[in-house]
Amino acid sequence: MSNSAEIVAAYFDGVKAGDADAVADLFAPDAQLINAAGILKGADAIRRMYQNGLAPGAMTPSPHPPVVHGEHVAVEIDLYANGASLKLGDFFTIRDGKIHSLTIYSLTPSDARLFDDVGIDPAR
């Protein structure tokens, strides 16, 4: 993968497939992921989060076309997870073929409860 849009597409493909390792491998060693549950720092914490809560069929994201501006990619997502639908906004920073930063916004704080198992580092 050579461009930001391809890396983001691979991220969503991995999430749809429930492939935690494929998703985690897209992140740089010093990456940061921010979601409603908090901040994860480093690829190891991000990997543990995805391994803890990502399973085939657990989440079905339907990303809209990405908006790419240099190393920044913004994507609106219709997400079906844990029996509910919600809208998310994902904001990626891609450098040297890896995700360096991902910030995930949900519409309301109550929507974040869907991520109780996926949005945390289980090693804490």
Side-chain angles (χ1 to χ4, degrees):
M1 287 170 278
S2 60
N3 70 50
S4 299
E6 290 173 343
I7 293 163
V8 170
Y11 170 85
F12 289 114
D13 288 344
V15 170
K16 287 177 192 175
D19 189 341
D21 288 327
V23 172
D25 287 345
L26 294 169
F27 286 84
D30 61 345
Q32 175 173 280
L33 188 149
I34 301 169
N35 63 26
I39 299 172
L40 296 162
K41 294 185 179 187
D44 291 339
I46 293 167
R47 180 177 303 279
R48 287 190 301 269
M49 179 200 73
Y50 283 113
Q51 288 173 336
N52 184 57
L54 190 59
M59 289 193 278
T60 306
S62 296
H64 295 242
V67 177
V68 180
H69 181 73
E71 64 183 18
H72 303 286
V73 181
V75 184
E76 181 182 355
I77 301 122
D78 296 314
L79 180 69
Y80 183 78
N82 297 329
S85 296
L86 68 146
K87 286 252 188 221
L88 297 177
D90 283 10
F91 296 85
F92 297 83
T93 300
I94 311 288
R95 286 189 200 115
D96 301 320
K98 292 287 187 180
I99 300 169
H100 278 258
S101 175
L102 170 57
T103 302
I104 302 169
Y105 292 98
S106 59
L107 287 176
T108 67
S110 64
D111 291 337
R113 291 188 189 117
L114 295 172
F115 298 105
D116 284 347
D117 293 333
V118 173
I120 61 168
D121 178 357
R124 287 195 291 163

